[in-house]
Amino acid sequence: MREMLIVTTGGSIDKTYNLEASEFQVGAPAVRRMLKSVGKLQQRIEVKELCRKDSLQLTDDDRAAIVKLVREAPQGVILITHGTDTIQQTALAVEQAAIEAQKVVVLTGALRPESFKETDAYFNFGSAVAVAPYLAPGAHVVFRGVVFSKPETLRKDGDTFVDDANPAP
């Protein structure tokens, strides 16, 4: 049976609305709810919560902790849920470690929280889980059914991502 480590860092995928504060806050990892909704999977999954931050609040120390985790994890496939604003920075940070360790690292997130009725969280997360075992070692971003395997040419463009090396027609 295949094994996958899922690391949660926060981002919009995990945001909930705090009525007392009248604002969105990063809450408990949505991954556990999404996995529960699927039932039995064909792979062994371990979930590790690294932090609960908006990606704009992630620091170099946070990224160093992610790189360390990639190097030290026994799993060969690691999926990281992450905010979309700085997902490219984190993909760049882990890329070399993933290649050196011969591990596949897939980062994904959502523009709308998992708790919303209309969300992209389930689609993006499911796509990432499905394709991760079949990708080459390195860092990949999976978003809206597209795999971006070159973090150095990835750019966020409004509510989507663009690969500047291979622009869509």
Side-chain angles (χ1 to χ4, degrees):
M1 182 177 279
R2 296 180 298 193
E3 294 187 28
M4 178 184 293
L5 174 63
I6 298 176
V7 179
T8 66
T9 64
S12 293
I13 198 167
D14 292 337
K15 286 190 176 177
T16 58
Y17 191 72
N18 181 322
L19 291 173
E20 292 175 10
S22 293
E23 65 183 12
F24 284 96
Q25 295 178 336
V26 178
V31 163
R32 295 186 197 282
R33 290 186 299 276
M34 291 190 286
L35 288 170
K36 187 177 179 183
S37 75
V38 174
K40 186 170 173 62
L41 296 173
Q42 297 296 314
Q43 53 197 318
R44 198 177 332 247
I45 293 181
E46 177 185 343
V47 178
K48 179 176 179 63
E49 181 179 347
L50 191 66
C51 60
R52 292 184 184 185
K53 293 184 176 183
D54 184 285
S55 70
L56 293 172
Q57 296 172 330
L58 287 175
T59 64
D60 289 342
D61 287 342
D62 294 322
R63 287 188 179 85
I66 294 169
V67 169
K68 183 176 190 259
L69 195 146
V70 166
R71 285 192 176 116
E72 295 176 356
Q75 295 88 346
V77 178
I78 301 166
L79 190 154
I80 301 170
T81 60
H82 196 289
T84 59
D85 286 322
T86 65
I87 200 168
Q88 189 243 7
Q89 287 175 257
T90 301
L92 283 169
V94 302
E95 183 175 35
Q96 191 60 40
I99 291 169
E100 289 171 3
Q102 286 295 292
K103 294 182 181 180
V104 174
V105 177
V106 174
L107 297 94
T108 195
L111 292 173
R112 292 177 302 280
E114 174 270 342
S115 60
F116 280 21
K117 182 177 180 181
E118 293 185 18
T119 179
D120 53 339
Y122 286 86
F123 184 79
N124 292 338
F125 178 71
S127 296
V129 169
V131 302
Y134 304 101
L135 298 174
H140 312 269
V141 173
V142 174
F143 191 76
R144 292 193 172 164
V146 178
V147 177
F148 299 95
S149 294
K150 294 182 180 177
E152 63 276 4
T153 62
L154 182 64
R155 174 175 49 87
K156 188 170 181 193
D157 185 15
D159 66 351
T160 195
F161 289 94
V162 175
D163 180 349
D164 285 334
N166 296 303

